[in-house]
Amino acid sequence: MSVGLQSMETDVVVLGAGPAGLAAAVSARSAGARVLLVEREDRVGGILKQCVHDGFGLEKFRERLTGPEYALREADAFRASGASLLTEAYVTSATRSGDSSFLLDCVSPRGVAQVRARALVMATGCRERTDRQVFIHGDRPAGIFTAGLAQYMVNVQGLLPGRRAVILGSGDIGLIMARRLTLEGVKVEGVYEIKSEPSGLARNVRQCLEDFGIPLYLSTTVTSVRGRRRVEGVTVAAVDGRSRPIPGTERELACDTLILSVGLIPENELAVSLGVPLDGATRGPRVDQNMHTLADGVFACGNAVHVNDLADYVSESGRVAGGAAAAWALGGPQARDLTPLRAGPGFLYAVPQFVDVLSGERGSVFFRSNATVAAGARVSLGAMKDDDRRELAAKTYPVLRPPELERLVLPPELPSGADSYILDMERMDGGGNDA
Amino acid sequence: MPETLNLTCIVCPRGCRLTVVKDGDAVSVSGHACPRGEAYGRQEAVCPLRSLTTTVRADGGARPRLAVRSSADLPLSRLLDAMAALDGVVVRAPVRAGDVVARDILGLGVDMLATDNLEEARHE
C-alpha cells in the first residue's frame, strides 16, 4: 500500500462519529454543504455501540431503543445523506488558513491527508475521569477500571473484568455496569458515592441497583486500594459535609475489581489548540444558540460541550451545529452580535452561554440545578437592560435534580439591545439557595 | 390491610416517584405524570417486568460478541435464569439487527433479538 500526502477540500469537517457527529454531518449535508466526517474507530456510532442497555431515543424516536439500535438509525440516516466518511482516522492538528478556512492534518491507514475546510464541528465527546483524577491512597495493582472501559470489555470484547467488584461513584455508567456485571455473574459488593445524593438518574438507581439488591452507600468513598499484583481489597469510609473521610468509620472490603464512575470531562484538545475558550463549569466550549464557539467557524456539539444525560439531546445539538456550520461555510463569515446568557444562583450551568441576536435560530436553554429542589421551581429567562429585567420565557418544574438536564424553550423572537440574558430560579417552597 | 409501595418509575428519564397502594386485588397508583407510568405502577404491584439486554457469543464475525434484547419484558425474578439460558447460545455471522437469535426463552414466549449488525470477519 502506498502511503503519501493527499489533499482534500470540503465545506464542513465533523470530528467524531458518535450521535452528535452523525447528526451534525446529516444536517450540514442536507443544508447543501459538502461534508467530511472523521472517525477514529473503524465504525460509526461512538460510545452507543457499547451501551447495549435500552432507554435511548424516547424523545427523538418515541421508542425505547438500545444504544446499538439508536446508533444504527443514525448511521442509516448518515449513509442516506451522501456525506463522506473517513474511518480509523485522526486529526492530529488543526490550524487557521486565512479568514475563512482551516487546514487539518488527518492521519489514517491510507496515509496522511491535508484537509481544507471552511467550518469545523467538534463532536469529540467526553472522556472518563480516572483513578489519577480522584484522591485514593494505597497501591495501584491491576483490577482498577473506569466504568466505560469495563463496559467495553464486557459488551464488545466479551471479557469479565473480575469476579468481585466495588463501584466508586454513582454516575449512570457505574449504575448500568453494576447491573451488567451482576447479570454476568460478578458479585457487586456495592456502589459508593462521596456525595449525599446519587449522581445518576433516579430510574437507574431503581432498575440497576434496587432491582438486584445492590446496596448504594451515600456520603461514603473509597479511601485506599490494597493489592500486590491484583486488587485484593479496598477501604471505604464515611465522609463529612466537606467530603473528608471521618476517622473511625473505615471498613475493609475484599474485592478483586474497583470500577470508577467518577465523572466525565468534555474532550476539547483540538478545539483549545484553535483558541476556543472553554466554560469553567461545563469544561466545554462556550457556545451561542447555534452551537458556534467563540472562535469563528468552529462549532461544537454533544458531550464535547457539556455532559448530557440523554443521547437524544446530543443528537439535537448535533443537528443545530451541523446546520449552522453549513450556513457559515456556504455563506461566508457572517457578523455575530453575542449577548451573554448567564445562569443565576441555584444552577450548576446553562448552555448556551451566549445568544447571537443577529441569528434566526432560537432553540432551547439547557441547564442543571446545583442541588435537589424537591419542592419544584419556576425557572425563567429574563432580558436585562440597565437594571430592568423583562421576562422572555418561563416554565415550572415539579422537581430539579443535578443529574437531570432540563430544557427551557426560547421564544421565537428575542428583543435586541439587551445587555445580557439571565436564567433565574424561583423555588416553590420560597426557600433561597444556600449552595 | 393495604400495602404501600414507593417506587421510582423507570419508563422514561423523568423518573417520577410513584406511590402504589395495593389492597387485596385493588391497586391504585399516584404520582405518575402519564398513563405509561400508571401502567408501570400497577404491574410493579403484581409482577415486576423488565427488558433484558445483554450479549451472546458470535462466531465468524468482525467482533466476538453480539448485542441482543428481549422481544418483550420478562419477569424481573427470571432475568438471571434467562442469562443462564443464553450462556450456550452462539450465533454465526453475518447477523442483522432484528434477527431472532434465541426463541421462546424459558418458555415465557419471549425471543431474543439482535440489536446490532455483525458482519463476517474479513480475511486478509
Side-chain angles (χ1 to χ4, degrees), chain A residues 315-384:
Chain A
S315 295
E316 184 179 327
S317 73
R319 179 183 59 73
V320 172
W328 184 269
L330 298 175
Q334 295 128 44
R336 303 167 74 191
D337 182 358
L338 299 178
T339 302
L341 190 160
R342 274 191 284 274
F347 297 98
L348 269 180
Y349 65 75
V351 173
Q353 293 88 345
F354 293 92
V355 174
D356 181 355
V357 291
L358 298 180
S359 159
E361 176 93 26
R362 288 302 173 227
S364 301
V365 178
F366 289 90
F367 63 86
R368 289 180 196 279
S369 63
N370 64 9
T372 296
V373 183
R378 181 175 184 276
V379 173
S380 65
L381 185 76
M384 301 299 292

Side-chain angles (χ1 to χ4, degrees), chain B residues 10-68:
Chain B
I10 62 169
V11 173
C12 85
R14 183 173 172 142
C16 291
R17 307 303 201 256
L18 307 183
T19 304
V20 180
V21 180
K22 190 180 172 188
D23 192 355
D25 285 342
V27 177
S28 71
V29 181
S30 56
H32 55 281
C34 76
R36 289 181 306 164
E38 185 181 12
Y40 168 78
R42 286 186 184 283
Q43 186 63 49
E44 284 295 285
V46 184
C47 170
L49 298 178
R50 297 289 183 271
S51 62
L52 177 62
T53 56
T54 181
T55 63
V56 297
R57 201 178 119 193
D59 278 353
R63 297 174 300 280
R65 306 295 295 184
L66 174 71
V68 299

Side-chain angles (χ1 to χ4, degrees), chain A residues 77 116 182 187 307 347 380 400 412:
Chain A
R116 182 180 291 274
T182 302
K187 170 72 181 158
V307 178
F347 297 98
S380 65
L400 292 176

Side-chain angles (χ1 to χ4, degrees), chain A residues 42-43 49 52-55 58 62 64-66 68-69 72 76 79 153-159 179-180 182-185 201-204 206-207 210-212 309-310 398-399 401 404, chain B residues 6-17 36 40 44 48 50-55 63-69 72-73 76 79-80 83 87 96-98 114-117 119 122:
Chain A
D42 63 359
R43 89 185 166 119
K49 299 193 297 288
V52 303
H53 58 281
D54 63 9
L58 284 162
R62 304 270 152 203
R64 191 177 69 187
L65 302 175
T66 64
E69 289 170 317
L72 284 178
D76 285 347
R79 260 188 298 279
M153 291 171 69
V154 173
N155 293 345
V156 178
Q157 297 182 301
L159 302 171
R179 172 176 66 182
R180 188 76 190 100
T182 302
L183 287 172
E184 292 293 349
L201 298 175
R203 70 197 288 246
N204 285 334
R206 170 71 193 174
Q207 64 186 350
E210 292 170 13
D211 273 2
F212 297 92
D309 38 65
L310 298 185
V399 60
R401 281 186 279 263
E404 293 167 22
Chain B
N6 291 303
L7 308 172
T8 302
C9 182
I10 62 169
V11 173
C12 85
R14 183 173 172 142
C16 291
R17 307 303 201 256
R36 289 181 306 164
Y40 168 78
E44 284 295 285
R50 297 289 183 271
S51 62
L52 177 62
T53 56
T54 181
T55 63
R63 297 174 300 280
R65 306 295 295 184
L66 174 71
V68 299
R69 70 179 303 166
D73 290 348
L76 173 58
L79 291 188
L80 288 170
M83 286 296 292
D87 262 353
R96 301 286 300 170
T115 55
D116 203 351
N117 298 334
E119 315 75 39
R122 264 178 279 159

